Amino acid sequence: MLVFVPPHPLIKHWVSVLRNEQSPCPIFKSVMAELGRLLIYEASRDWLPIVSGEIQTPLGVASVEFIDPREPVMIVPVLRAGLVLVEHAASILPATKTYHVGYYRDENTLQPTLYLNKLPERFPEDSRVLVADPMLATGGTIVATIDLLKDRGIDPKNIRVVSAVAASPALQKLSDKFPGLHVYTGTIDLGLDENGFIIPGLGDAGDRSYGT
């Protein structure tokens, strides 16, 4: 598995704003969306299908390349906060389709329970899938999501995960189970507390995004 922490100063800046407990909900939510934009940009590098051709400019003929609209990227945000992370996906990627999954986590066992699954029964062959989960903590939710995608014909090598913060336990679990996966994250934190929250992390991304 490959894990990328893009070394862009804007990514470091926005992660720092997200970490700040003084950042109010509207700022937190807009910053999470902006971080998602940058991470999606990085994750789509050397990944999107290209078509080549020629077009007529006002002054001549130019050789051009476009993203192939016949092969949209499948966007899968993990509710709730995953929605914020992909808010600007359509402004980055010319062709997308979005499918939602939602989990809640048992506070005692820390295991995820699926409550919403809007994935199709099967994806088109060789589909590219971008999964957005802002907090990769224990790894339970992201592993369950990728298992759902595998059951629907997706090769983990065609999946890219974007997250604001990833903890070492989640990354280890993903690496053990999906060696071909690519993960793009704003930063990596080493540990979790007794409740399974990332330390130092940035708190509950969903609660801080929606003020709940």
Side-chain angles (χ1 to χ4, degrees):
M1 185 181 78
L2 296 176
V3 180
F4 299 87
V5 182
H8 199 294
L10 283 174
I11 289 178
K12 295 177 182 179
H13 170 80
W14 295 129
V15 168
S16 299
V17 175
L18 292 174
R19 287 195 189 276
N20 186 357
E21 67 176 0
Q22 300 301 318
S23 295
C25 289
I27 296 297
F28 186 94
K29 187 170 184 282
S30 66
V31 167
M32 182 67 79
E34 184 58 31
L35 178 63
R37 184 204 302 268
L38 295 170
L39 290 171
I40 292 169
Y41 177 85
E42 294 290 343
S44 61
R45 189 189 302 271
D46 302 323
W47 190 50
L48 302 177
I50 300 293
V51 290
S52 301
E54 292 184 342
I55 60 170
Q56 181 69 48
T57 80
L59 297 177
V61 176
S63 298
V64 295
E65 291 184 344
F66 291 103
I67 305 302
D68 192 341
R70 298 166 298 181
E71 299 184 38
V73 174
M74 311 300 173
I75 307 292
V76 180
V78 178
L79 305 187
R80 292 174 297 169
L83 288 171
V84 183
L85 205 59
V86 299
E87 186 172 304
H88 298 308
S91 68
I92 296 289
L93 303 171
T96 64
K97 289 185 178 181
T98 301
Y99 303 94
H100 301 92
V101 295
Y103 296 85
Y104 66 85
R105 187 170 69 167
D106 187 294
E107 298 303 327
N108 295 314
T109 66
L110 304 183
Q111 296 302 307
T113 298
L114 183 70
Y115 70 84
L116 179 71
N117 179 3
K118 292 297 185 178
L119 301 176
E121 287 300 317
R122 298 290 295 181
F123 283 93
E125 188 176 357
D126 296 326
S127 291
R128 295 166 175 82
V129 180
L130 188 142
V131 181
D133 189 355
M135 310 298 292
L136 304 183
T138 65
T141 298
I142 190 64
V143 166
T145 301
I146 295 173
D147 279 337
L148 285 176
L149 293 168
K150 283 185 62 180
D151 291 344
R152 286 155 175 79
I154 298 296
D155 186 334
K157 292 180 180 179
N158 290 334
I159 298 173
R160 301 213 168 176
V161 176
V162 294
S163 72
V165 182
S168 296
L171 294 176
Q172 186 61 58
K173 188 175 293 185
L174 287 170
S175 179
D176 291 342
K177 191 161 186 182
F178 310 112
L181 193 68
H182 287 56
V183 177
Y184 292 77
T185 184
T187 191
I188 297 174
D189 286 348
L190 295 181
L192 309 173
D193 67 10
E194 65 275 8
N195 297 312
F197 286 99
I198 301 173
I199 299 297
L202 47 81
D204 188 304
D207 287 352
R208 294 191 67 192
S209 292
Y210 295 104
T212 55

